[in-house]
Amino acid sequence: QVRLQESGPGLVKPSETLSLTCSVSGGSISSNYWSWIRQAPGKGLEWIGYIYDSGTTNYNPSLKSRVTISVETSKNQFSLKLTSVTAADTAVYYCAREIYGNNGNSEGFVYWGQGTLVTVSS
Amino acid sequence: SYEVTQPPSVSVSPGQTASITCSGDKLGDKYVCWYQQKPGQSPVLVIYQDTKRPSGISERFSGSSSGNTATLTISGTQAMDEADYYCQAWDSSTDVVFGGGTKLTVL
């Protein structure tokens, strides 16, 4: 069973960089799509971006200038960096794995971490 | 950028059928997923590729899509189905896009 666990600081100061790591167990991080998704308090889900295999990335255009997602294959982890944060970046951050079928079509985000709350405040 | 729209809330009586819609330009041409999220929990995939149910998801959940609208239908709604539901699609301009979510209340 694939399990994902987010970790990182729960409090980040405005203008600083938010850094989170997702540890993957029960499966290889290689040859899969790994995403970060966030949810502001009382709000809906917002996709941040994904990394595929060891390097291909794609980001939400609204966040693209501030986001970097990377993978550390040897540790079976992938990470999120979000720069120049403001209070609007306060949210529960989820890491998730998107599954693709043999026909090349997505079968959705099947595996999710429990989420970690990051508050942006001085 | 591409957007999909859901009603903020839907109410249903126990045992009745609940329908939650998701609207977007030519949404029927794209695959749609649906997620259930209960308070304090991570989302759970309940429908993928418009109509398919993942293993372990109740047969009471079904999906359809045509034209500009995708629909999640919950038959024989139970109290345990009370949750927020999100649709999600893919678009070439924004890649992954989520709807704003619908709060399902079982009265």
Side-chain angles (χ1 to χ4, degrees):
Chain A
Q1 176 74 347
V2 176
R3 294 188 186 276
L4 290 75
Q5 178 68 57
E6 305 88 352
S7 60
L11 181 64
V12 181
K13 290 182 169 54
S15 80
E16 296 190 344
T17 296
L18 179 160
S19 296
L20 296 174
T21 296
C22 182
S23 299
V24 179
S25 59
S28 174
I29 203 163
S30 299
S31 301
N32 286 296
Y33 286 82
W34 303 97
S35 280
W36 287 98
I37 296 164
R38 71 181 183 178
Q39 185 172 35
K43 302 296 184 183
L45 301 168
E46 180 181 30
W47 176 74
I48 298 170
Y50 72 65
I51 188 164
Y52 170 68
D53 207 358
S54 296
T56 301
T57 55
N58 193 20
Y59 303 131
N60 186 323
S62 68
L63 298 168
K64 188 174 183 177
S65 63
R66 299 194 291 130
V67 172
T68 302
I69 298 176
S70 59
V71 66
E72 189 153 6
T73 306
S74 62
K75 294 185 178 180
N76 233 35
Q77 296 176 336
F78 66 105
S79 299
L80 168 71
K81 289 191 186 301
L82 182 65
T83 62
S84 305
V85 297
T86 68
D89 295 309
T90 294
V92 173
Y93 285 76
Y94 296 98
C95 55
R97 176 182 161 186
E98 187 176 4
I99 300 294
Y100 276 77
N102 293 331
N103 59 4
N105 292 316
S106 174
E107 297 180 358
F109 295 99
V110 175
Y111 303 103
W112 295 71
Q114 67 184 29
T116 186
L117 175 63
V118 178
T119 301
V120 178
S121 175
S122 56
Chain B
S1 62
Y2 191 78
E3 294 182 357
V4 289
T5 303
Q6 300 179 235
S9 62
V10 168
S11 298
V12 64
S13 300
Q16 298 303 303
T17 296
S19 295
I20 299 173
T21 58
C22 177
S23 300
D25 185 45
K26 299 180 182 178
L27 187 59
D29 294 342
K30 311 176 190 298
Y31 273 138
V32 172
C33 287
W34 290 92
Y35 300 87
Q36 176 195 67
Q37 186 181 34
K38 296 181 178 180
Q41 298 184 17
S42 303
V44 173
L45 179 70
V46 295
I47 293 289
Y48 68 97
Q49 291 180 3
D50 297 340
T51 62
K52 299 177 181 178
R53 234 181 2 260
S55 174
I57 299 301
S58 171
E59 293 180 354
R60 297 185 296 102
F61 289 84
S62 63
S64 63
S65 184
S66 180
N68 294 326
T69 303
T71 303
L72 172 69
T73 302
I74 309 171
S75 59
T77 306
Q78 302 175 5
M80 65 185 293
D81 300 326
E82 189 162 283
D84 293 328
Y85 290 86
Y86 294 90
C87 63
Q88 177 248 309
W90 290 262
D91 178 75
S92 59
S93 64
T94 56
D95 207 299
V96 175
V97 58
F98 286 97
T102 298
K103 182 177 181 61
L104 177 67
T105 301
V106 182
L107 298 170

